[in-house]
Amino acid sequence: MLFITMQKDCGLLIIISGPSGAGKGTIYEQVLKQSPNMRRSVSVTTRDSREGEKEGVHYFFKTKEEFLKMQKKDAFLETATVYTNYYGTPQKEVFDNLEKGHDVIFDIDIEGARQIKAKYEDAVLIFIMPPSFEILKERLINRKTETEESLQRRVGSAKSELGQYELFDYIVFNDTIEKAVNNTLEIISAEKSRIRYNENRIKKLLNIQ
């Protein structure tokens, strides 16, 4: 497996993850909206494009043969299979943006987060969670899209995901969207202030070659 390291003053790779109903998608979109230097990751998929979807904006659409060739060349940071379709994050696009100093943010499940962390140890992993499992259950019920069986399955999955907390660097409890977004932005700001991300700039100020 290719293990990737980047220059010290590159952008941040940020992963937002968490259980269904935690609000991670909303937080992801709000963080993007408030961060002009940030880029979203765009996945490759083998499924057909849907109405309104644009190549390179929503997905890169490939045939299964093209996907498997990319996978054989280790072109993905992470991959997943959903029903009969393949999905993957092309690493060249991500690392081109990081090298240019842009931050790249992911809204991805725990398995995808694990795969990325295994390839790029500097990834910043943030787990989004409601204040309690009872509140998570209430939010899922309020969607009015869950059967009792699927509701119990999602709550069980949430407990299993939270049980893997050691994979993550931070947890943000989503009491309210505004507070959770602010907390997430503060985490990103703190990460960007780390010495190791600013070493080249510091050496320049000190005229150290």
Side-chain angles (χ1 to χ4, degrees):
M1 179 183 289
L2 176 64
F3 192 80
I4 302 160
T5 56
M6 299 291 288
Q7 60 191 21
K8 291 182 173 64
D9 53 0
C10 69
L12 286 178
L13 191 161
I14 304 142
I15 293 175
I16 303 290
S17 193
S20 179
K24 64 183 182 297
T26 302
I27 293 168
Y28 168 85
E29 292 295 342
Q30 286 297 314
V31 168
L32 265 170
K33 186 178 180 181
Q34 297 182 45
S35 308
N37 188 53
M38 193 171 288
R39 303 291 182 268
R40 68 175 73 234
S41 72
V42 181
S43 297
V44 170
T45 183
T46 60
R47 73 161 172 78
D48 294 334
S49 61
R50 296 168 182 163
E51 186 176 352
E53 289 182 335
K54 295 181 180 179
E55 171 75 17
V57 176
H58 299 94
Y59 289 98
F60 297 106
F61 296 97
K62 303 290 184 182
T63 65
K64 288 187 177 180
E65 291 74 18
E66 290 172 328
F67 186 98
L68 292 173
K69 283 181 181 178
M70 291 178 70
Q71 191 171 36
K72 190 174 181 180
K73 293 178 180 178
D74 199 23
F76 296 115
L77 269 176
E78 59 82 32
T79 59
T81 303
V82 181
Y83 299 112
T84 59
N85 293 309
Y86 301 149
Y87 293 81
T89 300
Q91 62 188 21
K92 184 179 186 305
E93 174 99 0
V94 171
F95 289 109
D96 281 352
N97 273 313
L98 292 178
E99 286 177 353
K100 292 174 184 175
H102 299 302
D103 301 326
V104 181
I105 191 168
F106 291 70
D107 172 3
I108 201 166
D109 64 18
I110 284 186
E111 179 53 35
R114 189 184 303 279
Q115 290 180 46
I116 293 173
K117 189 72 172 180
K119 279 197 170 185
Y120 187 61
E121 65 178 358
D122 287 335
V124 179
L125 276 60
I126 304 171
F127 191 83
I128 307 297
M129 183 68 195
S132 69
F133 288 108
E134 289 73 20
I135 291 174
L136 174 65
K137 188 173 181 179
E138 286 176 14
R139 290 179 182 177
L140 290 169
I141 290 171
N142 290 337
R143 285 182 174 184
K144 297 181 179 179
T145 59
E146 306 292 335
T147 64
E148 183 60 30
E149 181 182 355
S150 66
L151 184 66
Q152 295 303 323
R153 185 171 61 249
R154 288 192 184 278
V155 173
S157 294
K159 290 180 179 179
S160 175
E161 290 175 13
L162 184 59
Q164 301 175 64
Y165 65 89
E166 291 180 347
L167 173 66
F168 291 84
D169 302 298
Y170 300 93
I171 185 166
V172 171
F173 289 100
N174 184 11
D175 301 84
T176 66
I177 288 294
E178 183 180 4
K179 182 180 176 182
V181 169
N182 287 338
N183 287 347
T184 303
L185 289 169
E186 287 171 359
I187 288 168
I188 294 168
S189 178
E191 283 290 325
K192 292 180 74 67
S193 297
R194 285 183 180 269
I195 291 293
R196 65 192 173 103
Y197 281 107
N198 293 279
E199 192 171 347
N200 289 343
R201 186 175 182 181
I202 293 168
K203 287 181 176 180
K204 186 176 179 181
L205 287 171
L206 295 173
N207 292 317
I208 300 174
Q209 300 300 318

